[in-house]
Amino acid sequence: QLTGRWYSIGLASNSNWFKEKRHLMKMCTTIISATADGNLEVTSTYPKGDQCVTRNSLYTKMEQPGRFSYTSPRWGSKHDIRVVETNYEEYALVATQISKSTGPSTMVLLYSRTKELSPERLERFTQFSREQGLTDNEILILPQTGEAGGTGR
């Protein structure tokens, strides 16, 4: 199950907001819980500038396992979400195709149960993002937030 707490470790996207905000983004947490009918309730914390914004979304499961859909009430954009691979214990790689009036975009997220992830997983994320047509400029390993700041506290 994908439920529980995840850290967003990697984010790749070819949308405009990503290009503008890329240099400000930080690692955030996402909490996923399952509803009785098998949909996912996702409390995502998005890096927005130098802060994290929380948003609740309901991902509706589709017939294919590992696929969900979501429509943003705010932007009217449709999200086709696919869990590419996960071992539930350690990491999850999620690809989202977003269609909205201004045109389609692709987003790839790498979730981790902990704030550190092996180089192999990071490499897989980068590789997969490239396969989706994203350039290195559009692929980001998110820096950690918070007071830990690399001081080992």
Side-chain angles (χ1 to χ4, degrees), residues 54-117:
T54 304
R55 223 178 272 157
N56 286 316
S57 319
L58 183 65
Y59 288 7
T60 312
K61 71 168 185 195
M62 292 159 79
E63 279 176 29
Q64 282 172 291
R67 289 195 89 119
F68 299 88
S69 69
Y70 165 70
T71 303
S72 159
R74 190 170 168 203
W75 306 110
S77 50
K78 281 183 74 77
H79 299 228
D80 175 359
I81 299 143
R82 179 165 60 102
V83 180
V84 180
E85 59 187 47
T86 179
N87 59 5
Y88 302 113
E89 314 279 289
E90 180 202 4
Y91 80 108
L93 187 58
V94 178
T96 305
Q97 292 295 337
I98 302 163
S99 41
K100 54 179 179 184
S101 49
T102 50
S105 63
T106 300
M107 185 166 81
V108 180
L109 270 161
L110 177 64
Y111 288 118
S112 169
R113 290 293 191 190
T114 57
K115 290 186 176 185
E116 305 289 335
L117 207 48

Side-chain angles (χ1 to χ4, degrees), residues 10-24:
L11 175 61
S13 172
N14 54 7
S15 67
N16 287 331
W17 66 264
F18 181 77
K19 292 189 184 83
E20 290 161 18
K21 306 284 186 214
R22 184 177 193 273
H23 60 290
L24 295 169

